[in-house]
Amino acid sequence: MAERRVVIVGAGMAGLAAAIDLASQGVRVSLLEKDAQVGGKNHQKVVAGQAMDSGPTVITMRWVFEDLLGGAGLRLEDFVELKALPVIARHAWSAEERLDLFAEEAASADAIAEFSGLAEAVRFRAFSQEARRVYHALEAAYIRAERPTMSSMSQDIGLRGLSLLAGLGPFASLWKSLGRYFHDPRLRQLFARYATYCGGSPWQAPATLMLIAYVEQRGVWAARGGIKALALGLARAAQKLGVDIQCNAQVNEILIEQGRAKGVELSNGQRLLADAVIFNGEAAALHQGLLGSPAKAAVPNTEGLYPRSLSALTFSMVARTQGMALDFHNVVFQKTPYEDEFQSVFSQGRLPARPTVYICAHDRGPFGPASSSAAEQPQAQDHEDRPVHAAKPEAERLFMLINAPARADRQTLLEEEISVCQKRVLAQLQQVGLTVEPQAVQVGRPQDFHQMFPASAGALYGMAPHGWMSSFQRPTNRTPVPGLFLAGGSVHPGAGVPMASLSGRLAAAALMAHLDSTRRSQRVVISGGMSMD
């Protein structure tokens, strides 16, 4: 059999996963990345000489990566060191109101009983069981299945699964559904935040997103060297399997000949021919012609049809802290109506006046303070440091994130707005008992993300998961152009480190079915998953 060649554009988590799957099946893979390092949204910044994750910070669904490497005859633990976190996240509403959620359901129930009463703890148990059932109903039918439709999912989950989903309310929002379980508005607010994990509003996202509670209860991990180490570990695994990874390789065009994808052309004029191409980037970039006019036919024009997901304003900093004891993951809520935050972002297109603040305290994790320096990671940049001083020895690395509108294609956040927001956030943290004194700060703006991920407008999760049908409106892994496949957080099954990785595996499976002419139209489902636990 002639050697099969595939080019993958974009070495984010999806591109890495697809490369590993294909190489393990004997395909010759070239993985091209425009940036200096692999990882995509999974990136780090160096602030005052200290590297820190400044994109995704949470690792869940470890089985995705174990299955990925296991299928290639490799072991995850040989490429990255992970440790489970006993505390999923620490939550605060005021100086007196604190609640930790734990990986152990019983420990969380005990904490909720102390925080909000025994009756609420009983309702939490019922909610957790429902989240578990929803996850297992959708795992094979949606999460691990290529091209899910209402019809295919109904067939896959059967009468029992349909009854379960009907019980949630076919058109119920996550916020409405949570009202059935939690009487304490603080708990409803806490679990409603799951909608933001996919870039949506709790008032518009479907109730099925409650399954995230079960995903977190199955484990949240930290990686030695940060979550970036997971991407670098997958890159080493891919190279071990023979994948040719080229960084600083800008693809100008996906070559379409006689209606089929035949390779790519780089910015230096070099052409790489292939039997198929996987594009791991913002799907809209194809329709906008950013990869050449012939590839525009691969993705329909959906601009304006579906809402964009959340963007973010981030602060990567080295700072001194006093007061509230931080854990690795922390969330600080505000007392104002929670809905105001999402009205500001989605309806008014502006930063919320009193946002929810997520804080990753990198040095509070199981691996402790970082030992690496900027000199040891020369490809990270800190050219945007704002007032920089030598970080004091007792200072720690913090990554803060607030929700922001994804309008960077037509709206720019001004430095004055960002400065006001930063001061407001620090004042809000002080109100809940946490004093943060930044020593050096780097800012991540929606316009920065739009530049990093062209055609995204700064949206970090593709389209917003608003409405029940949003689950079937994302672009799928196959395109109308034979030989051209899609992967990444803007396509099925969705955004986030594990889900984007699954999209890469689904793209690889669909590609292999395409190369085998007897199975060209067969719908693929990747194996493994939590149901094996």
Side-chain angles (χ1 to χ4, degrees):
M1 182 182 296
E3 184 179 48
R4 295 174 291 187
R5 297 171 180 245
V6 170
V7 170
I8 301 175
V9 181
M13 299 302 290
L16 290 164
I20 288 170
D21 267 350
L22 292 171
S24 70
Q25 298 176 75
V27 177
R28 184 174 176 180
V29 180
S30 294
L31 179 55
L32 308 178
E33 172 55 51
K34 65 181 177 61
D35 294 328
Q37 276 193 344
V38 302
K41 292 185 176 73
N42 185 349
H43 69 284
Q44 291 187 331
K45 292 184 177 181
V46 174
V47 183
Q50 299 193 56
M52 67 186 78
D53 291 327
S54 297
T57 58
V58 179
I59 301 175
T60 58
M61 300 172 73
R62 175 178 173 146
W63 63 265
V64 170
F65 311 106
E66 291 177 332
D67 285 358
L68 170 66
L69 294 186
L74 304 172
R75 301 190 315 160
L76 178 63
E77 54 268 33
D78 291 336
F79 296 93
V80 62
E81 182 181 355
L82 301 179
K83 284 189 179 180
L85 300 175
V87 176
I88 293 174
R90 178 157 293 162
H91 307 84
W93 288 262
S94 71
E96 295 76 34
E97 297 168 288
R98 304 271 197 275
L99 175 63
D100 287 356
L101 285 187
F102 299 87
E104 291 290 335
E105 181 185 330
S108 290
D110 290 343
I112 288 173
E114 184 176 348
F115 177 76
S116 192
L118 182 60
E120 206 74 348
V122 172
R123 286 189 283 269
F124 166 74
R125 292 271 200 176
F127 168 74
S128 297
Q129 291 304 306
E130 188 84 331
R132 178 184 184 277
R133 288 191 291 270
V134 170
Y135 177 87
H136 283 293
L138 296 178
E139 182 194 39
Y142 181 81
I143 295 173
R144 292 193 282 113
E146 184 217 1
R147 294 185 292 171
T149 63
M150 182 71 77
S151 175
S152 69
M153 197 172 77
S154 298
Q155 182 177 356
D156 289 343
I157 66 178
L159 293 176
R160 186 175 180 181
L162 287 173
S163 176
L164 170 65
L165 298 183
L168 294 177
F171 304 108
S173 68
L174 178 62
W175 181 260
K176 182 177 180 180
S177 181
L178 290 172
R180 297 167 47 201
Y181 294 97
F182 301 109
H183 297 179
D184 186 330
R186 298 169 299 179
L187 295 180
R188 193 176 183 185
Q189 182 183 34
L190 188 161
F191 291 106
R193 188 172 172 272
Y194 288 151
T196 68
Y197 289 25
C198 305
S201 162
W203 278 264
Q204 296 171 282
T208 48
L209 289 184
M210 67 166 57
L211 63 81
I212 295 174
Y214 176 65
V215 169
E216 289 192 330
Q217 288 171 10
R218 298 306 300 166
V220 176
W221 285 266
R224 182 181 294 279
I227 195 172
K228 177 73 173 184
L230 177 60
L232 296 176
L234 293 186
R236 289 193 297 273
Q239 289 174 321
K240 185 178 181 70
L241 295 167
V243 174
D244 175 29
I245 299 178
Q246 300 180 34
C247 291
N248 297 309
Q250 177 70 51
V251 174
N252 274 3
E253 183 177 354
I254 294 175
L255 302 175
I256 310 292
E257 297 179 3
Q258 297 181 332
R260 305 175 66 86
K262 289 296 185 179
V264 301
E265 181 175 286
L266 303 182
S267 58
N268 62 7
Q270 180 185 4
R271 287 192 165 202
L272 296 179
L273 301 182
D275 297 294
V277 175
I278 294 178
F279 176 64
N280 173 32
E282 194 72 23
L286 294 179
H287 179 78
Q288 292 184 17
L290 301 186
L291 279 298
S293 295
K296 292 175 68 173
V299 177
N301 181 17
T302 59
E303 181 63 30
L305 295 179
Y306 310 120
R308 295 167 178 162
S309 69
L310 293 169
S311 187
L313 179 63
T314 67
F315 302 99
S316 303
M317 65 177 67
V318 173
R320 294 181 60 192
T321 61
Q322 292 180 321
M324 173 184 168
L326 294 170
D327 207 272
F328 189 57
H329 299 299
N330 310 268
V331 182
V332 177
F333 292 105
Q334 305 305 315
K335 288 290 191 177
T336 52
Y338 194 35
E339 189 173 12
D340 290 355
E341 180 172 344
F342 300 97
Q343 287 288 342
S344 296
V345 172
F346 285 107
S347 300
Q348 300 164 12
R350 60 177 177 82
L351 293 173
R354 293 182 62 81
T356 302
V357 183
Y358 165 75
I359 306 171
C360 180
H362 288 82
D363 298 321
R364 308 294 182 109
F367 297 106
S371 59
S372 60
S373 67
E376 294 168 328
Q377 302 196 30
Q379 296 174 0
Q381 299 178 358
D382 61 354
H383 61 276
E384 293 182 355
D385 278 10
R386 306 189 312 160
V388 177
H389 313 284
K392 296 183 180 180
E394 66 270 25
E396 61 181 308
R397 299 171 300 155
L398 301 179
F399 172 70
M400 296 186 186
L401 179 149
I402 67 170
N403 296 322
R407 301 189 178 191
D409 54 341
R410 59 183 186 273
Q411 176 180 321
T412 299
L413 279 183
L414 303 177
E415 288 300 315
E416 182 179 356
E417 294 178 271
I418 294 169
S419 179
V420 169
C421 182
Q422 181 178 338
K423 292 175 182 177
R424 185 184 297 136
V425 165
L426 296 179
Q428 290 175 196
L429 296 179
Q430 197 156 26
Q431 291 173 5
V432 301
L434 175 63
T435 299
V436 177
E437 300 175 358
Q439 308 297 302
V441 181
Q442 284 192 51
V443 179
R445 314 160 182 83
Q447 56 260 37
D448 298 329
F449 300 125
H450 179 50
Q451 183 176 7
M452 293 167 67
F453 313 111
S456 69
L460 298 177
Y461 313 86
M463 60 177 287
H466 289 172
W468 170 254
M469 288 304 296
S470 65
S471 301
F472 308 106
Q473 291 165 343
R474 281 182 174 271
T476 60
N477 305 103
R478 301 184 196 228
T479 76
V481 177
L484 179 55
F485 299 83
L486 303 180
S490 67
V491 304
H492 174 75
V497 171
M499 297 294 269
S501 301
L502 285 174
S503 82
R505 301 203 69 192
L506 286 167
L511 186 153
M512 291 302 295
H514 161 78
L515 293 179
D516 182 349
S517 60
T518 64
R519 299 192 302 153
R520 180 173 299 173
S521 63
Q522 180 176 323
R523 177 170 167 257
V524 300
V525 179
I526 55 176
S527 61
M530 260 187 224
S531 57
M532 303 297 290
D533 187 80

